[in-house]
Amino acid sequence: MKNTALTDVHIKLGAKMVPFAGYNMPVQYTGINAEHDTVRKAVGVFDVSHMGEFILKGDNALALIQKVTSNDASKLYDGKVQYSCLPNEDGGIVDDLLVYRIDEKTYMLVVNASNIDKDWNWISKYNNMGVTMKNISDRTSLLAIQGPKAAEALQSLTDIDLASMEYYTFQKGTFAGIDNVLISATGYTGAGGFEVYFDNEHAEEIWNAIFKAGEPFGIKPIGLGARDTLRLEMGFCLYGNDIDDTTSPLEAGLGWVTKFNKEFTNSAALADQKAAGVTRKLVGIEMIDRGIPRHDYEIVDAEGNVIGKVTSGTQSPSLQKPIGMGYVNTAFAKEGTEIYIKIRDNKVKAQVAKPPFYK
C-alpha cells in the first residue's frame, strides 16, 4: 500500500483511512454528509496526491497526444486544460484524463490513480515519435481546494489573481512561499475551486498554510467519500464505474470530447458507431419510490425485462434523495422515462433524469 506525503497528517486528524487504487487514503474525517455540505457551501481540501502525472515533451508531443486522445488538443494554448479520453482499440476507454499545455512542446497529462501503469504503457506503445516521457506521479502532491469560498480562502497565499482565473485554465507561480507551484481552476465537485500541484517535499508546509489562510472561511479537510457524492450530483463519470474498457465514449455521453476532425486510436470505428447510433446510453437516474440505486444493480422495464445496469448511486446529500447513473438500452434513455431498479428482488420505480442533478 502506498502513502501520500500527507498520510500521517490525515491519521493525526482522525481520518478513517481505506485502501483506494493502491493507496492508503482518507475516506472521511467527520462524516460524508457534513463534508459534502462544507464543499457546497464554503471550502474544503481533498488530498488527491494518488492521481498520476506524466510530462510529455518534444517537437512531436502534440502529435502523440492527438494520436492517443479523443479530444482535439490542437485547440489548447499555454495555460489551458482539456478533458479527454484515451480510447482503446476495441471501442472502450483506457482512461479519462486532463491534458495541460505548459508550452508548445511541453504537456502534462493527469490520469486516474488506478490506471497509472496502464496509461503509461498505453501511451508509450504509440510513442514512435521521439517524445520524451517522464512519470512524475510519485514525487508530485495534489490538493483540490473546492467550494464557493476557495478563491477567497487561498488568495493571501499567492500573487496570482485567483478570482479572475477562467475555468479549465492554470498558472504557475509562488504559492504559500513555494516557487513553481501549478494552480489549476479545475475540480471534480461542481462547486468551483482549484487544484494545486507541487513537489512532495512541500506537502505539509503547503497543507498547513492553506488551513491557516482558510480558517476564517471555515475550511475543512474532506475525504474521498464526499468527493464521490459531489461528483455524482454533477453527473461526472468515475472510471471503473461509469466508464471502463468496455464502454465507448459515445455511449457514455462523452461525444463532446470525441472529435472526428483528426485521426486517433480507433477513431474510424467510433465514427461508424456515431453514424449508426449507439444501442445503449449512460443516463441519470432519480428514484421515485424508496431505495438507493447501487453499483451493479439491474435496471428493468415494467415487465421485469433487464434493460441495463446501475454504474453509480448514492443518497444525494444536497438534494436529500437517491440518485444514480447507469447504462440503459437506447429506447429507454429519454429524460422522464419510467424505469425500475431491481433491489433485493423488488422492482423499485425510478425515472431517467438529465445530469447534473444538482443545479
Side-chain angles (χ1 to χ4, degrees), residues 56 61-74 76 82-88 95-99 109 111 122-123 126 249 257-267 270:
L56 271 55
L62 176 59
L64 176 57
I65 289 165
Q66 288 288 69
K67 174 70 184 161
V68 297
T69 65
S70 61
N71 208 339
D72 183 4
S74 72
L76 289 170
Q82 184 181 74
Y83 177 66
S84 196
C85 280
L86 296 172
N88 64 24
D95 202 3
D96 62 335
L97 74 163
L98 294 180
V99 180
L109 309 184
V111 303
W122 182 260
I123 298 164
Y126 290 96
V257 298
T258 310
K259 303 289 168 59
F260 295 109
N261 60 340
K262 59 161 201 166
E263 275 187 40
F264 57 87
T265 320
N266 206 42
S267 56
L270 288 170

Side-chain angles (χ1 to χ4, degrees), residues 54-63 65 73-81 99-109 131-132 170-172 180 182:
F54 307 153
I55 301 293
L56 271 55
K57 201 175 173 91
D59 291 342
N60 292 320
L62 176 59
I65 289 165
S74 72
K75 295 280 196 291
L76 289 170
Y77 49 85
D78 295 0
K80 181 66 178 158
V81 191
V99 180
Y100 285 70
R101 176 167 148 153
I102 292 164
D103 61 47
E104 195 185 349
K105 297 181 180 181
T106 315
Y107 295 79
M108 178 170 76
L109 309 184
V131 177
T132 303
F170 71 93
Q171 293 185 46
K172 275 187 170 184
N180 201 35
L182 190 154

Side-chain angles (χ1 to χ4, degrees), residues 10 15-18 24-29 47 222-225:
H10 304 312
K16 181 185 176 190
M17 305 296 286
V18 298
N24 190 19
M25 297 297 287
V27 71
Q28 62 179 45
Y29 298 84
D47 178 11
I222 313 292
L224 293 182

Side-chain angles (χ1 to χ4, degrees), residues 318-335:
S318 302
L319 306 171
Q320 290 294 300
K321 65 179 179 188
I323 58 169
M325 299 201 306
Y327 286 91
V328 296
N329 300 345
T330 307
F332 294 88
K334 195 165 180 275
E335 192 178 353

Side-chain angles (χ1 to χ4, degrees), residues 137-155:
S137 308
D138 284 346
R139 62 167 225 235
T140 305
S141 288
L142 171 57
L143 295 178
I145 302 93
Q146 299 281 297
K149 295 183 181 173
E152 289 173 279
L154 298 180
Q155 190 56 70

Side-chain angles (χ1 to χ4, degrees), residues 82-312:
Q82 184 181 74
Y83 177 66
S84 196
C85 280
L86 296 172
N88 64 24
E89 287 158 354
D90 310 309
I93 300 169
V94 177
D95 202 3
D96 62 335
L97 74 163
L98 294 180
V99 180
Y100 285 70
R101 176 167 148 153
I102 292 164
D103 61 47
E104 195 185 349
K105 297 181 180 181
T106 315
Y107 295 79
M108 178 170 76
L109 309 184
V110 182
V111 303
N112 284 301
S114 52
N115 291 336
I116 292 172
D117 293 340
K118 175 188 171 193
D119 292 359
W120 178 265
N121 294 337
W122 182 260
I123 298 164
S124 300
K125 184 171 97 165
Y126 290 96
N127 184 16
N128 54 3
M129 308 174 188
V131 177
T132 303
M133 291 174 56
K134 194 180 279 183
N135 182 354
I136 60 166
S137 308
D138 284 346
R139 62 167 225 235
T140 305
S141 288
L142 171 57
L143 295 178
I145 302 93
Q146 299 281 297
K149 295 183 181 173
E152 289 173 279
L154 298 180
Q155 190 56 70
S156 65
L157 300 174
T158 183
D159 292 338
I160 294 167
D161 182 2
L162 298 176
S164 71
M165 279 181 75
E166 287 179 25
Y167 191 44
Y168 268 65
T169 64
F170 71 93
Q171 293 185 46
K172 275 187 170 184
T174 302
F175 182 83
I178 308 296
D179 291 335
N180 201 35
V181 173
L182 190 154
I183 303 169
S184 173
T186 50
Y188 194 47
T189 63
F194 303 89
E195 295 183 302
V196 182
Y197 299 81
F198 48 88
D199 286 339
N200 287 344
E201 62 190 281
H202 305 302
E204 283 202 41
E205 191 180 340
I206 287 179
W207 175 274
N208 291 336
I210 287 170
F211 276 89
K212 192 175 175 192
E215 199 175 346
F217 304 93
I219 201 165
K220 296 212 166 75
I222 313 292
L224 293 182
R227 191 168 185 248
D228 194 50
T229 54
L230 287 156
R231 70 93 195 168
L232 188 46
E233 287 185 347
M234 300 311 296
F236 294 152
C237 289
L238 173 64
Y239 193 89
N241 280 40
D242 313 300
I243 51 175
D244 60 31
D245 287 300
T246 70
T247 59
S248 112
L250 303 176
E251 294 172 336
L254 299 177
W256 62 283
V257 298
T258 310
K259 303 289 168 59
F260 295 109
N261 60 340
K262 59 161 201 166
E263 275 187 40
F264 57 87
T265 320
N266 206 42
S267 56
L270 288 170
D272 289 345
Q273 185 183 50
K274 186 182 181 182
V278 295
T279 57
R280 61 173 184 166
K281 280 185 179 170
L282 184 64
V283 297
I285 300 164
E286 280 181 354
M287 299 304 294
I288 294 170
D289 293 341
R290 281 186 58 161
I292 296 175
R294 299 285 187 198
H295 177 67
D296 271 351
Y297 281 7
E298 288 181 338
I299 304 171
V300 298
D301 64 13
E303 281 75 52
N305 302 306
V306 177
I307 55 165
K309 192 174 266 192
V310 176
T311 54
S312 289

